[in-house]
Amino acid sequence: MINEHETDRDPVARTRRAFAYKLFFQQGVLPFNASLNDYFLAVSAALRDRMQGLYINSMAALRESKSRIVCYFSAEFLMGPQLENNLLSLGLADEFARAAEESGLDLQQIIAHEEEPGLGNGGLGRLAACYLDSLATLEIPAIGYGIRYEFGMFDQAIDNGWQREMSDRWLQPGNPWEFKKPDFAVEVGFGGHTESWFDEAGRYRVRWTPGTVVKGIPYDTPIPGYRVHTVNTLRLWSAEAPKSFDFADFNVGDYFGAVEEKIHAENITKVLYPNDEQFQGKALRLRQQYFFVACSLRDMIRLHLLQHPNLDNFHEHFAVQLNDTHPAIAVPELLRLLIDLHGYDWERAWAITTATFHYTNHTLLPEALEKWPVHLLGDLLPRHLEIILEINSRFLDEVQSRFPEDADLPRRVSIIDETNDRSVRMAHLACVACQRINGVAALHTRLLMERTLADFHRIWTDKLVNITNGVTPRRWLLLSNPGLSELIGEVAGTGWPTDLDRLCELAPLAENADFRARWRAVKRANKERLAHTLQERTGVVLDPAALFDIQVKRIHEYKRQHLNVLHIITLYNRLRRDPGLEIVPRAFIFGGKAAPGYFLAKRIIRLINGVAEVVNNDPIVDGRLRVAFYPDFNVKNAHQVYPAADLSEQISTAGKEASGTGNMKFAMNGALTIGTLDGANVEIREAVGADNFFLFGLRVEEVEALWAAGYRPRTLYEENPELREAMDLIASGSFSGGDRDLFRPLVDNLLDHDPFLVLADYQAYVDCQQQVETAFRDPERWTAMAIRTVSRMGRFSSDRSIAEYCEQVWRVGPAPVPLRYEHMPREGVVFPWPGQPSET
Ligand code: F58
């Protein structure tokens, strides 16, 4: 029994008591019948209570904020597990660990139990999560707005080498972090028709009468900054049928009709679309997009009108960042609200709208750009289509008058693509209506300026800026690599997680043999941990002394996992030719999901697993090569992967990867990179120094020249014996149990088309891997390179990225949260406290 008086003075005892209370009163169980999930929910609830005082103060500050609030609009937030991250942010990790231990609980086991909310596909969604962490840590008032998908990214299993998708029931065990806010529900219309008339003042007015209405309910997740008082909000919308219409239908006897409507409404936020980098013009996807931005803008207007009499200064109160074009329908929506509902004329509404929005582009792949068929958009959002056409007509008038000499320019920049089926180019809409457009790495931004968005860059020379991506060092170093963090802390002091440039203090220690030995010990322990997990989950046994060569990311042809596979097969063939060959033992580790409908990506997964099966079991190889596919790569699994890597594979075709962020996570954790000059690799190489980076492959300009000259991959195959041997081995059925058809589509595609120049970069890649091998043979040299790499990774903290957005895009600064309210209602405080329920 814990003495109640003791607990007031002893925080550990108080936390122990909180665990017990939550278990008893919230979970309704006692220790003898509590499940691990009960303990997880109880511990999380205890932590949530400790955050609540700061959260309430932050929300109060936000409601009264005089400084600009950043609203990050994103269809995806890939947050990862919250418990351990929140413990670190709030500085409660030690206290909770001791409380757990003294209660006979294993905090690590409880932490490991948490299911992550997989509400994103990959880089774009994870970037949004890193940015929320940095916004809060930099004390910027901010709200993340998005969708509360009932089913997030599918869970991946590997069956006989094939990917199998399983639905992600992340909400099933209960989500301890969210607060449902039914009071702030809003209604969103779809379909229907518009009517126009002239009002008493003779002004042209439009009224939209939607065909159906859906209710959006917000769920708030607190986002605590690291060791600051700011706790921002991630507000995710869930769709429900409005009460009114099921009752109405029920009364006239159409029970099934009513239920159908309800299901139709709730379908909107049912599931995340799992395809990355491939646009799919599905009506439900557009409904999702409109649903969440309409809810979010209504919410912002509510907040604004708490403080201001009208929307004249809306843009001074809020800066909205559009995370790609998925939320770009917000542009006509804000115009509609201002004009149709709040009575603004077009010019005023346009001025407010264009001063509010900013757009981040995340891709150079033409197939990823969103283009909605005009008829689809018009059916779903008739008023928005009218507004888009009006934006376009005014824009094209301006273009024509400013650039009369370029007669083709209006066609090229038009928001409406008039070819075939007319469609709305969402990137053009975003470019026209946003104050700033940014690319996500220097090379990417240059290519946007010179190619994809060159016309827009000519029209508005100052609009496009570069903001290189970053990742949060709290999750991607402090949380996931405690061993390295401790070493860094000894050298760089305790402040490094919020001042990552301090990593530079590691540089001189690259010359210190003792330090290198300690560094290697940390890496070794991380590799042992990953090896252990992989053995458990795949049965593949890895030697922690081997070179851990890792490629984890979505499976896509442009990311070229198959180039990596060709290298493995090449090494395998060398060993078969000469079993006594001296090679550095390597563990090749892959992870990543393929879009369920992406045929070739799924074959690539099958190929990796086929090669693993053969190579891992061939006695000639004798364990010198090992291949493992880590199933279900997600944020949680990633925590163990980046810290365990010796070599980071960043091998996309130059000009295809906008930035990459995994490249940063690996390098921050002391992996060396083998990579092309693509995305942020360029800047990583500049930062860490060419000597510490294994560069290979065609440059963007060379890629273009090759296509212009006429690329014939088959010639390369014919003329390169090792390449031919590797390709032939795949085609022979050696990795598919003798089935020669299984990989034929992959092989034929490479020989006849090779759209991502795998064969063109093959030899350079294999040669570069030889340099990697040579370097790894000298552990002292390798370790020194790794230390130098980490010492120069400071600029890839998302804190730096967010500081740049604040200065160059949003024009906002920190607003520390004053602690005006008691952390907790004290004993003896009774309601009304501190006043009456409010209407808002
Ligand atoms: C990624 N895009 C880029 N899109 O590929 C990567 O280079 C970049 O580092 C990252 O964004 C962050 O800027 C990306 O992840 C998606 O997942 C979309 C999801 C929705 C459908 C279209 C792709």
Side-chain angles (χ1 to χ4, degrees):
M1 239 343 237
I2 301 165
N3 179 327
E4 294 236 347
H5 298 292
E6 278 302 300
T7 63
D8 292 337
R9 273 175 282 124
D10 178 353
V12 173
R14 188 182 58 182
T15 298
R16 288 187 62 184
R17 193 169 59 158
F19 294 169
Y21 269 51
K22 293 293 177 186
L23 205 62
F24 188 88
F25 289 110
Q26 179 188 289
Q27 296 308 110
V29 293
L30 287 167
F32 79 86
N33 63 346
S35 66
L36 183 54
N37 194 50
D38 286 323
Y39 281 113
F40 163 69
L41 292 173
V43 169
S44 300
L47 179 61
R48 203 180 75 171
D49 284 359
R50 296 288 291 278
M51 193 158 37
Q52 204 57 26
L54 294 178
Y55 193 26
I56 283 173
N57 277 288
S58 295
M59 284 189 290
L62 196 87
R63 279 163 67 106
E64 293 154 31
S65 174
K66 296 283 171 261
S67 48
R68 228 179 171 197
I69 299 169
V70 174
C71 296
Y72 201 85
F73 278 26
S74 180
E76 306 189 358
F77 287 92
L78 195 41
M79 300 299 293
Q82 297 296 289
L83 174 54
E84 191 173 18
N85 196 252
N86 291 346
L87 282 170
L88 287 172
S89 293
L90 297 163
L92 293 173
D94 288 344
E95 182 185 313
F96 271 56
R98 282 186 51 203
E101 197 187 327
E102 290 178 17
S103 304
L105 300 172
D106 177 350
L107 187 59
Q108 279 312 315
Q109 185 194 23
I110 291 171
I111 286 170
H113 176 76
E114 184 173 5
E115 276 262 8
E116 73 176 81
L119 308 187
N121 269 284
L124 172 148
R126 183 53 230 175
L127 186 77
C130 284
Y131 283 179
L132 290 187
D133 183 79
S134 285
L135 280 162
T137 299
L138 294 179
E139 304 181 283
I140 311 294
I143 306 174
Y145 279 114
I147 302 174
R148 183 178 178 270
Y149 301 103
E150 193 179 327
F151 300 103
M153 189 62 197
F154 62 83
D155 292 338
Q156 178 196 56
I158 301 297
D159 272 355
N160 293 321
W162 294 99
Q163 165 173 299
R164 180 162 57 85
E165 299 93 20
M166 294 170 308
S167 61
D168 160 57
R169 303 172 160 274
W170 72 286
L171 286 166
Q172 205 105 110
N175 176 2
W177 307 112
E178 66 183 10
F179 295 88
K180 184 175 181 173
K181 295 284 175 83
D183 287 349
F184 299 139
V186 296
E187 295 201 335
V188 178
F190 291 97
H193 63 277
T194 64
E195 298 154 84
S196 60
W197 84 96
F198 287 91
D199 66 12
E200 38 315 334
R203 290 190 313 169
Y204 178 77
R205 305 296 298 265
V206 180
R207 179 188 305 120
W208 171 32
T209 311
T212 56
V213 173
V214 173
K215 195 156 80 166
I217 316 268
Y219 287 75
D220 289 357
T221 302
I223 310 291
Y226 182 77
R227 310 288 162 96
V228 289
H229 292 160
T230 301
V231 180
N232 282 332
T233 292
L234 170 60
R235 177 160 282 187
L236 301 179
W237 298 94
S238 179
E240 285 184 15
K243 272 233 172 56
S244 51
F245 71 48
D246 49 354
F247 278 117
D249 288 343
F250 190 64
N251 284 339
V252 297
D254 185 8
Y255 179 73
F256 283 97
V259 174
E260 220 174 276
E261 287 279 8
K262 186 171 154 62
I263 290 170
H264 193 59
E266 288 172 1
N267 268 345
I268 294 181
T269 52
K270 198 50 86 183
V271 59
L272 166 78
Y273 278 93
N275 40 330
D276 73 326
E277 313 284 351
Q278 175 67 42
F279 175 65
Q280 244 196 329
K282 288 273 191 285
L284 182 59
R285 169 83 172 161
L286 183 58
R287 289 166 73 91
Q288 291 184 332
Q289 296 181 350
Y290 176 64
F291 168 75
F292 98 85
V293 301
C295 290
S296 308
L297 285 170
R298 286 277 298 280
D299 196 52
M300 291 161 63
I301 289 174
R302 176 186 60 80
L303 275 170
H304 182 84
L305 294 178
L306 291 177
Q307 282 198 58
H308 305 281
N310 55 48
L311 300 176
D312 291 4
N313 56 344
F314 183 78
H315 56 289
E316 289 165 9
H317 195 177
F318 295 107
V320 176
Q321 192 65 36
L322 303 176
N323 198 20
D324 216 292
T325 58
H326 319 138
I329 195 71
V331 166
E333 173 67 358
L334 181 57
L335 284 164
R336 182 187 76 84
L337 294 168
L338 292 169
I339 296 168
D340 295 356
L341 269 66
H342 293 269
Y344 286 85
D345 62 27
W346 181 278
E347 284 71 22
R348 275 301 291 151
W350 180 249
I352 294 170
T353 301
T354 53
T356 300
F357 289 111
H358 311 281
Y359 156 52
T360 304
N361 174 292
H362 293 270
T363 188
L364 290 159
L365 301 185
E367 63 270 29
L369 297 176
E370 293 195 296
K371 280 171 55 177
W372 292 105
V374 165
H375 65 86
L376 193 157
L377 202 147
D379 284 350
L380 206 63
L381 302 167
R383 178 59 180 140
H384 298 77
L385 180 59
E386 290 172 11
I387 291 171
I388 290 168
L389 295 175
E390 182 66 22
I391 297 171
N392 198 37
S393 119
R394 288 171 186 251
F395 167 55
L396 294 183
D397 284 350
E398 182 194 331
V399 167
Q400 253 149 0
S401 74
R402 281 182 52 200
F403 304 93
E405 73 292 347
D406 189 345
D408 191 46
L409 185 60
R411 183 194 62 77
R412 296 200 305 272
V413 296
S414 174
I415 297 171
I416 307 298
D417 181 349
E418 305 281 353
T419 51
N420 313 322
D421 242 4
R422 294 173 77 216
S423 56
V424 181
R425 298 156 160 165
M426 299 307 272
H428 291 205
L429 173 63
C431 285
V432 174
C434 288
Q435 180 149 104
R436 284 259 182 284
I437 307 165
N438 77 282
V440 290
L443 173 66
H444 171 230
T445 303
R446 174 167 76 79
L447 295 173
L448 288 177
M449 287 175 172
E450 292 173 0
R451 291 148 218 215
T452 321
L453 302 178
D455 287 325
F456 291 97
H457 186 49
R458 178 155 78 109
I459 297 170
W460 298 293
T461 47
D462 294 336
K463 233 191 221 200
L464 238 173
V465 298
N466 177 60
I467 301 195
T468 299
N469 285 167
V471 300
T472 172
R474 270 78 64 184
R475 182 177 291 272
W476 296 115
L477 209 44
L478 186 62
L479 181 155
S480 53
N481 199 344
L484 196 63
S485 295
E486 206 181 305
L487 216 48
I488 292 170
E490 277 180 32
V491 178
T494 50
W496 65 267
T498 50
D499 182 7
L500 205 62
D501 285 327
R502 293 210 202 151
L503 289 178
C504 69
E505 287 164 32
L506 290 168
L509 287 141
E511 324 308 331
N512 179 323
D514 288 342
F515 189 77
R516 287 197 303 266
R518 293 179 64 201
W519 186 278
R520 266 197 304 280
V522 168
K523 180 63 80 181
R524 170 80 187 205
N526 292 339
K527 289 166 74 174
E528 280 166 5
R529 194 167 329 119
L530 179 63
H532 183 259
T533 306
L534 277 169
Q535 181 168 4
E536 236 171 41
R537 303 205 185 164
T538 68
V540 178
V541 179
L542 303 180
D543 174 3
L547 190 171
F548 275 30
D549 177 336
I550 310 189
Q551 187 172 23
V552 286
K553 49 183 77 236
R554 289 300 290 264
I555 312 293
H556 204 294
E557 290 165 271
Y558 88 77
K559 296 178 187 281
R560 301 199 294 193
Q561 281 90 355
H562 42 349
L563 177 58
N564 188 340
V565 173
L566 283 174
H567 172 240
I568 301 173
I569 299 173
T570 301
L571 294 182
Y572 176 52
N573 282 334
R574 286 180 188 170
L575 287 180
R576 291 199 308 159
R577 260 197 314 272
D578 175 7
L581 189 71
E582 281 274 333
I583 65 162
V584 166
R586 282 207 206 208
F588 295 92
I589 298 161
F590 292 85
K593 295 174 186 178
Y598 189 170
F599 176 82
L600 283 180
K602 290 186 128 176
R603 294 280 151 129
I604 291 172
I605 293 180
R606 178 64 187 81
L607 176 62
I608 294 167
N609 287 306
V611 171
E613 182 71 24
V614 170
V615 168
N616 295 346
N617 296 307
D618 190 329
I620 287 183
V621 175
D622 193 23
R624 289 173 291 178
L625 304 176
R626 278 280 148 92
V627 183
F629 191 96
Y630 193 153
D632 203 34
F633 181 66
N634 58 16
V635 175
K636 187 174 171 179
N637 295 332
H639 290 167
Q640 271 195 31
V641 173
Y642 298 113
D646 293 307
L647 188 66
S648 154
E649 297 273 352
Q650 308 301 334
I651 60 178
S652 53
T653 318
K656 298 295 178 188
E657 189 70 271
S659 162
T661 43
N663 46 4
M664 302 170 188
K665 295 167 196 163
F666 275 115
M668 250 178 220
N669 282 280
L672 302 185
T673 306
I674 182 165
T676 49
L677 281 182
D678 199 19
N681 294 355
V682 178
E683 290 153 86
I684 292 174
R685 178 168 172 268
E686 265 166 29
V688 305
D691 296 348
N692 301 309
F693 189 106
F694 298 99
L695 178 70
F696 76 97
L698 297 171
R699 322 278 200 262
V700 172
E701 281 68 24
E702 293 165 336
V703 165
E704 284 178 345
L706 182 55
W707 285 118
Y711 174 49
R712 248 194 111 250
R714 196 177 285 274
T715 311
L716 293 170
Y717 161 84
E718 284 159 357
E719 292 173 355
N720 185 330
E722 282 208 312
L723 172 59
R724 197 169 60 236
E725 202 184 354
M727 296 285 289
D728 288 351
L729 203 62
I730 299 173
S732 72
S734 297
F735 304 117
S736 42
D739 181 348
R740 292 164 165 271
D741 292 328
L742 196 61
F743 297 126
R744 193 190 303 275
L746 253 178
V747 171
D748 287 352
N749 181 275
L750 288 179
L751 291 177
D752 298 329
H753 308 289
D754 194 12
F756 298 101
L757 301 176
V758 173
L759 303 201
D761 273 341
Y762 166 82
Q763 194 56 52
Y765 179 59
V766 171
D767 293 345
C768 192
Q769 286 283 18
Q770 190 63 52
Q771 294 171 34
V772 170
E773 170 157 349
T774 308
F776 196 75
R777 280 182 198 282
D778 179 351
E780 298 299 342
R781 174 178 163 217
W782 184 276
T783 312
M785 289 168 81
I787 296 171
R788 282 183 205 116
T789 295
V790 175
S791 78
R792 293 168 193 166
M793 285 302 290
R795 69 173 304 257
F796 299 97
S797 164
S798 46
D799 296 348
R800 188 267 313 146
S801 312
I802 287 299
E804 289 180 8
Y805 277 99
C806 287
E807 202 185 303
Q808 298 177 45
V809 180
W810 307 322
R811 308 215 159 277
V812 298
V817 172
L819 297 184
R820 288 176 303 161
Y821 302 104
E822 288 286 354
H823 274 224
M824 272 206 246
R826 293 219 171 258
E827 221 169 298
V829 171
V830 289
F831 289 99
W833 175 84
Q836 297 301 317
S838 86
E839 291 298 313
T840 50

